[in-house]
Amino acid sequence: MAVGTERVLVVDDDEPLAKVMARVLRSRGFECDFALTGSEARRLLETKDYAVALLDVRLPDESGYGLLEELRATRPNTAVVMISGVDDPELGKAALEHGAFAYHVKPVGATQLYLLVVNNLQRRSLEMDHRASLDRLEGMVAERVDQMRRAAELQAGMLPASPLKEDGFEVAAHLTPAREISGDFYDWYRATNGRLAVTLGDVMGKGLPASLMMATARAALRGASEVEPLEAGIKQAAGVMSAALEVNHAYVTVFHCKFDPLLPQRSAPIGIFPDTQFLVGRATLEPGDSLVVFSDGLLDLRPDLATKDVRLPSDARRAATAQEMVDILARGARDRDLFDDVTVLALKRL
């Protein structure tokens, strides 16, 4: 702190005292002005910035507390010290409650005055550093919130619009992320042979790393959509994902089908074993039949579905549409703090 560069304002209706205080501070290297009234102080404050203001509690035209409140509101970087001829604890308490750095009782000796200014300059410097740190932190938090919002919007934009109805079937999905962005995903699109590819995936982990892996998995599966047979396309996609999965120590659980499969078998996730043999099944959906796939996050919300070969709840089975079915199964997800992403996909033969 370079003392000589700091400016001090003395506001006191006792003119001889004000002049002495100003002279003492100037002799110690400070720039110092004095004012005898609140209005004079305001005129000086309009043209100059003061590091410290020494305010008398009682001024001829107003209370020093009024000027204190105004300074704290308009010039928070000015250290305000209230000075009074009355040794009253209640006045001192009121001064501190209104934002004064200190409350001092007259008379004020030369050395005491110097130390009073220096000590409060140091406190001012610490508070300014603290406020600057808070401002930087708030800026970083606001930037992260904005980035996560945009990432969530981008991720949501990657998902196909639900539901899709055409050619005698309906496919719909629901996804509620446990955090701003998700490691779960669902996808559907037309392959060149006219068949509908349907995917539900769950990347191990949460947050931004899982969301990046989710985008990688989705792109890899789409890139292999024309590869036949189905298991060859999955193997190709797994090869594309393998490096990223290994670096992130992650794996992806995937259900991937072309329009009408229903798999009774279970296979290993992508990324756990390099020589995994992916199981493939085949079935036909009759009119009125539905295929429902979900990530394990649904089991936290609906533990009644955790039993193997359990039937869907009756209200979901009675759903008239695939969209209604997934909404019933995921009911309440958006009203809870989730441990894991909740994703449900249904394909219904009309």
Side-chain angles (χ1 to χ4, degrees), residues 163 165 170-172 290 316-328 346 348 350:
K165 290 184 180 181
E170 177 190 2
V171 61
S290 297
R317 296 200 307 272
R318 292 195 302 268
T321 67
Q323 186 65 60
E324 183 182 351
M325 184 178 294
V326 297
D327 289 342
I328 289 171
K348 186 178 182 67
L350 302 178

Side-chain angles (χ1 to χ4, degrees), residues 90-314:
E90 291 301 317
L91 288 176
K93 179 181 177 183
L96 298 180
E97 288 177 348
H98 283 74
F101 276 38
Y103 178 88
H104 201 81
V105 179
K106 301 176 185 178
V108 185
T111 300
Q112 194 175 30
L113 176 63
Y114 173 73
L115 292 176
L116 185 65
V117 171
V118 169
N119 289 338
N120 284 284
L121 275 174
Q122 292 175 338
R123 180 181 167 188
R124 168 184 177 266
S125 179
L126 290 173
E127 289 202 0
M128 289 176 65
D129 289 343
H130 180 63
R131 281 199 298 270
S133 296
L134 287 178
D135 289 342
R136 286 194 296 270
L137 180 59
E138 289 176 359
M140 291 169 60
V141 170
E143 183 180 4
R144 182 191 179 278
V145 168
D146 184 60
Q147 288 175 345
M148 295 302 287
R149 177 189 59 78
R150 286 185 289 169
E153 291 174 353
L154 176 62
Q155 190 176 55
M158 294 171 62
L159 302 174
S162 180
L164 169 67
K165 290 184 180 181
E166 59 176 62
D167 299 339
F169 71 90
E170 177 190 2
V171 61
H174 171 108
L175 193 159
T176 299
R179 298 183 183 176
E180 300 98 328
I181 51 181
S182 173
D184 282 11
F185 69 97
Y186 62 82
D187 199 13
W188 54 76
Y189 50 90
R190 285 285 188 183
T192 55
N193 58 14
R195 298 164 70 192
L196 183 76
V198 178
T199 308
L200 184 143
D202 182 356
V203 177
M204 183 190 74
K206 300 175 182 66
L208 186 58
S211 73
L212 294 173
M213 285 307 309
M214 167 276 225
T216 301
R218 174 183 177 275
L221 288 164
R222 282 206 169 206
S225 63
E226 304 302 326
V227 178
E228 296 291 347
L230 186 68
E231 58 269 32
I234 294 293
K235 285 184 177 180
Q236 177 177 307
V240 172
M241 290 182 251
S242 60
L245 289 170
E246 184 177 353
V247 167
N248 289 279
H249 305 289
Y251 60 83
V252 185
T253 304
V254 171
F255 176 88
H256 182 70
C257 72
K258 296 291 182 64
F259 182 56
D260 64 353
L262 181 58
L263 297 181
Q265 304 98 327
R266 293 192 177 195
S267 184
I270 296 173
I272 291 186
F273 306 110
D275 55 351
T276 297
Q277 298 298 311
F278 300 106
L279 297 178
V280 178
R282 193 177 298 272
T284 300
L285 296 182
E286 300 295 340
D289 288 347
S290 297
L291 165 70
V292 178
V293 193
F294 51 83
S295 65
D296 58 355
L298 183 65
L299 301 181
D300 296 328
L301 185 71
R302 300 290 302 261
D304 55 312
L305 299 177
T307 305
K308 186 178 180 181
D309 299 327
V310 67
R311 287 167 60 85
L312 288 178
S314 58

Side-chain angles (χ1 to χ4, degrees), residues 11-13 35-43 56-64 66-67:
V11 185
D12 198 303
D13 62 345
L36 305 179
T37 65
S39 58
E40 287 181 17
R42 285 188 173 82
R43 283 195 293 271
D56 193 1
V57 169
R58 295 178 181 175
L59 298 172
D61 54 347
E62 64 177 293
S63 166
L67 188 54

